[in-house]
Amino acid sequence: MINGIVRLSLIGLLSVATAVNAQQMAAPEIVVDQSGYYPKLEKSAVVLRAVSGNSFELLSLPDRKSVYTGVLSEIKTTGYSKIETRIADFTAFDRPGQYIIRIAGVSESPVFKIADGVHHDLAVAALKAFYYQRASSALDVNYAGKWYRAAGHPDTSVYIHPSAASKNRKADSKINVSGGWYDAGDYNKYVVNSGISTSTLLSAYEDFSDYFLGLEAHIPQAKNKVPDVLTEAIYNLRWMLKMQDPTDGGVYNKCTNLNFDGMIMPDKATSKRYVVAKGTAATLNLAAVAAQAYRIFKHFPEQYPGLADSCLLVSKKAWSWSVNNPNVAYDQDALNKMSDLKVTTGGYGDRNFEDEWTWASAELLASTGQQEYYDAFFARLNAPVSLPSWNNVAMLGYYTLIRCEGQLPEQYKSVTSILKKKILNHADRYLTAFETGAYHTVIGASLNDFAWGSNSSAMNQSILLINAYLFSKKDAYLDAALSNLDYVLGKNATGYSFVTGIGYKSPMHPHHRPSFADGVAEPIPGLLVGGPNRGKQDGLQYNAEPELSYLDDVSSYASNEIAINWNAPLVYVANAVECLQKARKDGTK
Ligand code: 9MR
Ligand code: 9MR
């Protein structure tokens, strides 16, 4: 309610079509991508009920002239919910401008844009969000604007938890693990989740390096000619490197409090911090990320002298530790039975490491060309792969080997054709989902799509499709990838743009401690919330339909938290489409 009132008064200032938007606040009937559409790529809106008419119109603003008439799709259903939809596809209309959609008997759509570069602000905001997540740094008003804040969690003297004790680092001694990003709405730092997040930013750079040279997010400490995406990734990388025990190469799972902090600002959160238990997942995550970082930072020797080489050493050391400790799971419950210092923060307790082996071996192979890593990769080639997530990372290795195909030793190159085939299997399924789905999106084809952090699944599906597009050049994959971006930006059953600060109706109350505690009305911008989650683990009351199980409520950690592994694929996708739409526009690919 308060959300509605605040937003209405803001929208009141925005002049055009105020009444239309006010109506839409209550219950959207036509939902659109609130960030906008590219002239030459797919464009559609969704009508959230089975209207009887068959046509729709685009009205241009401010004159409200009818500029395009299209035919609505037949009535569609998901098969798992009672919601009926119809699709208004206006891909054929490509004139830049501001529009609304009119359909007889339905309230008008919110205003939307068609323009080149329409997702630029989103692409920048999504990256800048990582800066706002920085631990151990003050956020300066010159960069952070009204979200400036004091430094939190110096993490320069963090205790060795009994589970992490070793000969050289006794329990209760202290180490420096400063820096890095806060994981999510909480203030802890987890290596396993940092792995996929950091790597996704590094991969975005590797896939679109020229584009990123020109992308500025207005963050501090940028070195000469180092793109902001790398400056930000290094902030977390340097922390990850500190999480390795230099004596044996093993990596601690996390730097954490014993319990979650209250909903307070980071500088007020002063509980004791611990590094907890080394583990195979954490160690292979570092092996993978550090190997990838080596590949990238060896091209920046002046700005970062020695960084690339130390990354490779760290990676190989982490690999060796894992070879000697191939099965050390992080089992928080078991650990808590053995210590009085019980840890109740996030677990990220993966038990299956086959996918981490695949990923780490692929990164090391791409960076060194050495047989040992090829053998480890090849041994797992027949394992099924699935959509990347924090505990499922094999496909990240596939992306890497395909990307680095040109640099692989001749005898290893042919493996990439198998990897491409496996990726296309997924891409083609996604394409069908896009073409037939009730929301004309890839996400939502299956009930299982609506799990914790569903919006990140949408973005990871898009990354997969973009990879498929990059090596196949089949345009439909790019359109399908874009459909999920439309989804997270408002073309969904809730009518929310799930990115803070983007669109006319976006989350105002994310489960994010600084956004809650900083006294600023608007949440920190550029953050992707988890989204509909039919697990409802926080016990709040949600709408029964899976695609509506979302609440813009600060207590809703099951649907309205934010997390680095959710924002990173948003950074990848928003920037990839910004880069690729230029090529499409200019007729080059
Ligand atoms: O803030 C915590 C969030 O980061 C986690 O994802 C979530 C589930 O582990 O837990 C949140 O913390 C809540 C705790 O689990 C239960 N008491 C209330 C806490 C804050 O909402
Ligand atoms: O993203 C994680 C999700 O896949 C798990 O189901 C969930 C419960 O274990 O935890 C999520 O990760 C949270 C982490 O444990 C603590 N920081 C906040 C993360 C996002 O909610």
Side-chain angles (χ1 to χ4, degrees), residues 183-186 190 260 346-348 390 452 557 561-563 565-566:
D183 181 59
D186 63 320
Y190 310 81
F260 285 115
Y348 290 118
W390 63 263
W452 197 315
Y557 59 77
E561 190 165 355
I562 64 97
N565 63 316
W566 306 342

Side-chain angles (χ1 to χ4, degrees), residues 167-187:
K167 211 160 79 210
N168 299 301
R169 291 181 163 183
K170 303 257 185 284
D172 228 30
S173 61
K174 291 189 246 174
I175 61 169
N176 175 357
V177 288
S178 64
W181 302 311
Y182 295 126
D183 181 59
D186 63 320
Y187 292 139

Side-chain angles (χ1 to χ4, degrees), residues 183-188 190 260-263 344-348 452 511-513 537 554-558 561-562 566:
D183 181 59
D186 63 320
Y187 292 139
N188 304 297
Y190 310 81
F260 285 115
D261 288 304
M263 299 301 281
T344 62
T345 55
Y348 290 118
W452 197 315
H511 184 83
H512 182 231
R513 282 162 174 77
Q537 291 86 344
V554 69
S555 318
S556 175
Y557 59 77
E561 190 165 355
I562 64 97
W566 306 342

Side-chain angles (χ1 to χ4, degrees), residues 333-351:
D333 292 340
L335 289 180
N336 282 342
K337 288 195 185 117
M338 299 179 332
S339 165
D340 292 337
L341 292 172
K342 301 200 190 312
V343 183
T344 62
T345 55
Y348 290 118
D350 196 0
R351 275 145 212 253

Side-chain angles (χ1 to χ4, degrees), residues 126-127 130 181 195-206 212 229-230 232-233 292 296 564 567-569 571-572:
L127 176 56
F130 285 86
W181 302 311
I196 184 169
S197 309
T198 311
S199 171
T200 300
L201 295 192
L202 294 178
S203 296
Y205 171 75
E206 284 194 294
F212 273 109
V229 68
L230 293 185
E232 198 49 57
Q292 184 176 21
I296 295 171
I564 54 174
N567 244 74
V571 170
Y572 185 107

Side-chain angles (χ1 to χ4, degrees), residues 55-68:
S55 68
F56 69 93
E57 270 178 298
L58 254 61
L59 307 187
S60 63
L61 292 180
D63 53 9
R64 294 182 61 89
K65 246 180 42 205
S66 176
V67 290
Y68 180 80

Side-chain angles (χ1 to χ4, degrees), residues 157-458:
S157 28
V158 165
Y159 292 88
I160 302 280
H161 186 267
S163 62
S166 60
K167 211 160 79 210
N168 299 301
R169 291 181 163 183
K170 303 257 185 284
D172 228 30
S173 61
K174 291 189 246 174
I175 61 169
N176 175 357
V177 288
S178 64
W181 302 311
Y182 295 126
D183 181 59
D186 63 320
Y187 292 139
N188 304 297
K189 304 187 292 191
Y190 310 81
V191 172
V192 166
N193 201 42
S194 262
I196 184 169
S197 309
T198 311
S199 171
T200 300
L201 295 192
L202 294 178
S203 296
Y205 171 75
E206 284 194 294
D207 286 339
F208 307 101
S209 359
D210 290 347
Y211 161 90
F212 273 109
L213 291 177
L215 187 91
E216 285 177 26
H218 195 49
I219 57 173
Q221 294 161 19
K223 299 219 178 179
N224 192 22
K225 296 198 179 122
V226 175
D228 282 356
V229 68
L230 293 185
T231 301
E232 198 49 57
I234 283 189
Y235 191 80
N236 199 59
L237 174 68
R238 290 203 188 278
W239 165 71
M240 289 183 76
L241 297 172
K242 292 179 196 152
M243 290 294 282
Q244 181 176 51
D245 179 347
T247 343
D248 64 2
V251 177
Y252 307 108
N253 278 289
K254 55 177 170 174
C255 164
T256 185
N257 303 349
L258 294 182
N259 303 303
F260 285 115
D261 288 304
M263 299 301 281
I264 53 178
M265 289 301 280
D267 61 307
K268 301 288 184 301
T270 53
S271 306
K272 256 179 152 183
R273 304 272 271 183
Y274 295 86
V275 291
V276 179
K278 292 170 190 168
T280 309
T283 307
L284 286 172
N285 264 269
L286 182 63
V289 171
Q292 184 176 21
Y294 161 76
R295 244 183 359 254
I296 295 171
F297 293 113
K298 73 180 180 200
H299 300 294
F300 295 90
E302 274 141 42
Q303 294 93 332
Y304 299 109
L307 177 62
D309 288 340
S310 45
C311 282
L312 189 57
L313 282 176
V314 160
S315 173
K316 290 185 164 184
K317 236 172 149 171
W319 177 268
S320 307
W321 187 90
S322 306
V323 169
N324 295 324
N325 300 272
N327 239 329
V328 185
Y330 182 67
D331 182 344
Q332 195 156 279
D333 292 340
L335 289 180
N336 282 342
K337 288 195 185 117
M338 299 179 332
S339 165
D340 292 337
L341 292 172
K342 301 200 190 312
V343 183
T344 62
T345 55
Y348 290 118
D350 196 0
R351 275 145 212 253
N352 180 338
F353 310 122
E354 285 305 291
D355 54 305
E356 281 81 10
W357 284 109
T358 293
W359 179 31
S361 61
E363 296 297 346
L364 273 157
L365 172 61
S367 293
T368 67
Q370 287 168 7
Q371 175 88 35
E372 175 185 2
Y373 307 118
Y374 179 80
D375 292 344
F377 182 82
F378 195 79
R380 296 173 173 88
L381 190 55
N382 290 328
V385 279
S386 39
L387 186 67
S389 63
W390 63 263
N391 57 355
N392 211 330
V393 290
M395 199 165 298
L396 305 182
Y398 286 24
Y399 299 157
T400 284
L401 289 180
I402 293 170
R403 172 190 309 130
C404 298
E405 190 178 349
Q407 292 87 266
L408 289 180
E410 216 44 49
Q411 69 272 29
Y412 302 143
K413 282 190 175 154
S414 62
V415 78
T416 58
S417 66
I418 301 170
L419 310 183
K420 287 179 187 170
K421 233 200 228 142
K422 291 173 87 168
I423 288 178
L424 290 180
N425 272 336
H426 289 265
D428 288 332
R429 258 196 306 115
Y430 293 167
L431 202 52
T432 309
F434 163 57
E435 284 161 354
T436 59
Y439 295 91
H440 206 39
T441 56
V442 176
I443 186 84
S446 154
L447 189 55
N448 298 328
D449 286 348
F450 299 106
W452 197 315
S454 59
N455 285 334
S456 72
S457 302

Side-chain angles (χ1 to χ4, degrees), residues 513-560:
R513 282 162 174 77
S515 290
F516 176 82
D518 64 5
V520 179
E522 295 87 352
I524 285 162
L527 294 166
L528 178 67
V529 298
N533 171 10
R534 70 196 181 96
K536 306 172 186 181
Q537 291 86 344
D538 48 33
L540 300 180
Q541 286 299 313
Y542 291 86
N543 188 298
E545 300 295 6
E547 69 265 57
L548 283 172
S549 46
Y550 167 74
L551 284 180
D552 182 19
D553 183 324
V554 69
S555 318
S556 175
Y557 59 77
S559 84
N560 208 30

